[in-house]
Amino acid sequence: QVQLVESGGGLAQPGGSLRLSCTVSGFTLDSYTIGWFRQAPGKEREGVSCISASNSRTFYSNSVKGRFTISRDDAKNVVYLQMDSLRPEDTGVYFCAANGHCQPAPSGSYYYTEFPSWGQGTQVTVSS
């Protein structure tokens, strides 16, 4: 059974940092593309970052590029999202998801397909 559990959310000040973790079970991490998504109050869910299964290629939305870093530790079955230079607009519930597909977009961001497996999410609040 595929399971994903997010952790590491919390309250951060503007300009601060948080590191989110997505711990997976029920599959080998290097066989699935993993995406991070977020949903702010009253807004639609949006893709934030993605790391591909085959070659660990990474993708970022333009709103977080240069501030967030996605990585994975296959031995620990964990995908990380290091978030630096946080802004109030980064506030939201962050989810990780598995087994979708990501590819680059002309805008510099990326496209993604449906991800069938999701975690429960972790709250990130950026406020002074």
Side-chain angles (χ1 to χ4, degrees):
Q1 181 180 358
V2 173
Q3 289 189 325
L4 303 96
V5 178
E6 302 92 340
S7 60
L11 175 65
Q13 291 189 341
S17 298
L18 286 172
R19 188 178 78 160
L20 305 184
S21 299
C22 173
T23 303
V24 308
S25 60
F27 64 96
T28 53
L29 185 58
D30 60 1
S31 62
Y32 280 8
T33 291
I34 303 295
W36 280 101
F37 300 79
R38 68 186 179 190
Q39 187 163 21
K43 294 187 177 180
E44 291 187 356
R45 188 170 59 197
E46 62 172 338
V48 173
S49 185
C50 181
I51 186 164
S52 64
S54 57
N55 57 6
S56 293
R57 185 174 182 179
T58 58
F59 304 87
Y60 299 93
S61 68
N62 286 334
S63 62
V64 307
K65 191 175 292 184
R67 301 188 296 120
F68 290 12
T69 305
I70 191 171
S71 62
R72 73 179 199 215
D73 186 331
D74 292 344
K76 295 182 179 179
N77 272 359
V78 180
V79 175
Y80 301 102
L81 185 69
Q82 177 67 42
M83 306 188 298
D84 298 318
S85 301
L86 284 164
R87 303 168 180 170
E89 54 264 38
D90 294 319
T91 295
V93 180
Y94 283 68
F95 303 87
C96 62
N99 203 20
H101 177 72
C102 300
Q103 63 185 61
S107 65
S109 185
Y110 67 102
Y111 300 121
Y112 53 89
T113 64
E114 181 71 24
F115 278 69
S117 302
W118 291 80
Q120 294 299 307
T122 185
Q123 176 70 44
V124 170
T125 302
V126 183
S127 175
S128 55

